[in-house]
Amino acid sequence: MAVTASGETGGDWAQRTYEAMAPVYDDFTAHYESEEWIADLVKALERRGLRGKRLLDVGCGTGTSFLPMLKSGWEVTACDISAAMLELAREKAGDGVQLALADMLDLPEFGEFDLVWALDDAINYLLSPEELQQALAGMRANLAPTGLLLFDVNELQAYRTFFVETTVVERDGRRLVWRGTAPPDVAAGSICESKMEIAPGEVLTHRQRHFPEAEVLAALGGAGLECLDVYGHGLDGIPSQPLEPTHTKAIYIARAAA
Ligand SMILES: C[S@@+](CC[C@H](N)C(=O)[O-])C[C@H]1O[C@@H](n2cnc3c(N)ncnc32)[C@H](O)[C@@H]1O
């Protein structure tokens, strides 16, 4: 597996970050309109013939994205590299979900799923095109023959704004400070960091890589997947086509190549 100069994979970085961030993660993301976003993503999947109700959520975090699926009758298996995030997911979801500690760079074959997804930045914690292809190959191995894969990636616009700026979130007397450290003209394919202060003097690092569309398409092909759709959206979270330079996120839908 390709590793960065530090000798650490994206999984190593993400695990450290999310073990520390877990207690404040839901506070930091409380303003997200996740249910509406998920509903729009499911509509996009339905336009591509989504059938069945078995979901594998890769990088599930505290369960924000799979909970609406669970409510609408999906059978959910979910995994994450952070045990602390999974513990919070368990508290919310109860025993109705199969949860596993797993690195998407070494994804077990959990079964055959009608839908495999990795949402809300999970993919951007991978740090090279080789890691991306490896993770996608693991997801492909979990797809049912007619299954669909969906994931989002942050676009350059996000790294040139959110990863440049300072954002403060105050909730229940807690103050979380996100300090982007990227230059405003950061180049495509760069690794960007943000320092996040979760308590006075307690700072963790988010380390993410931007994946340009050409790299994503090459990684999908290399993993034996065929791209069906690319959508983009801005801060409103409403997917549209085509993907534009002003979009902060891209959404990819794929299936196993014939
Ligand atoms: C921003 S959170 C999103 C959580 C969830 N997908 C959601 O939609 O709310 C990103 C999650 O990806 C997980 N993650 C990052 N890299 C991972 C990896 N290599 N393997 C498994 N999980 C990973 C992190 O631990 C974290 O829980």
Side-chain angles (χ1 to χ4, degrees):
M1 179 195 306
V3 291
T4 52
S6 67
E8 292 183 296
T9 67
D12 296 329
W13 276 90
Q15 185 180 39
R16 201 162 42 236
T17 302
Y18 280 93
E19 284 296 287
M21 190 185 173
V24 300
Y25 179 82
D26 284 339
D27 282 349
F28 189 68
T29 57
H31 59 290
Y32 287 12
E33 291 180 343
S34 301
E35 297 220 0
E36 290 83 345
W37 189 52
I38 296 299
D40 283 337
L41 298 183
V42 169
K43 277 185 210 147
L45 288 159
E46 284 170 350
R47 287 193 284 274
R48 282 293 175 182
L50 178 67
R51 62 172 98 145
K53 283 197 169 259
R54 296 166 296 176
L55 167 68
L56 174 61
D57 184 342
V58 178
C60 66
T62 64
T64 309
S65 294
F66 74 62
L67 285 169
M69 302 298 275
L70 200 58
K71 272 194 226 156
S72 55
W74 281 68
E75 191 183 300
V76 178
T77 299
C79 65
D80 200 280
I81 201 161
S82 161
M85 295 291 275
L86 285 171
E87 218 171 286
L88 294 167
R90 173 64 72 206
E91 278 172 25
K92 291 190 213 167
D95 294 332
V97 175
Q98 193 192 324
L99 294 175
L101 187 63
D103 185 346
M104 70 171 94
L105 286 167
D106 189 16
L107 204 59
E109 285 190 31
F110 290 108
E112 286 199 345
F113 295 87
D114 305 301
L115 173 59
V116 176
W117 72 21
L119 292 183
D120 194 12
D121 296 14
I123 290 288
N124 289 104
Y125 287 91
L126 301 170
L127 296 177
S128 66
E130 294 79 11
E131 285 195 2
L132 176 60
Q133 184 170 317
Q134 184 163 338
L136 293 175
M139 294 181 206
R140 183 194 186 281
N142 278 283
L143 281 176
T146 57
L148 295 175
L149 168 67
L150 182 148
F151 58 91
D152 67 83
V153 291
N154 284 326
E155 287 299 288
L156 205 47
Q157 177 71 1
Y159 294 105
R160 290 181 172 174
T161 54
F162 193 46
F163 273 76
V164 173
E165 296 156 4
T166 294
T167 305
V168 179
V169 176
E170 287 184 290
R171 203 170 151 86
D172 299 335
R174 259 208 286 237
R175 191 164 191 270
L176 308 171
V177 185
W178 167 281
R179 285 194 180 87
T181 67
D185 58 350
V186 63
S190 296
I191 290 176
C192 299
E193 286 189 356
S194 173
K195 302 288 175 189
M196 187 175 197
E197 190 178 311
I198 56 171
E202 202 180 330
V203 178
L204 53 85
T205 301
H206 286 267
R207 186 165 232 246
Q208 293 194 0
R209 188 180 188 280
H210 168 245
F211 290 101
E213 185 174 357
E215 279 186 4
V216 176
L217 296 178
L220 281 167
L225 289 152
E226 175 192 359
C227 185
L228 298 174
D229 273 317
V230 185
Y231 289 84
H233 66 66
L235 297 179
D236 63 3
I238 301 172
S240 64
Q241 288 173 313
L243 177 61
E244 306 274 5
T246 52
H247 287 145
T248 50
K249 264 196 192 299
I251 309 286
Y252 291 86
I253 297 177
R255 67 177 170 211

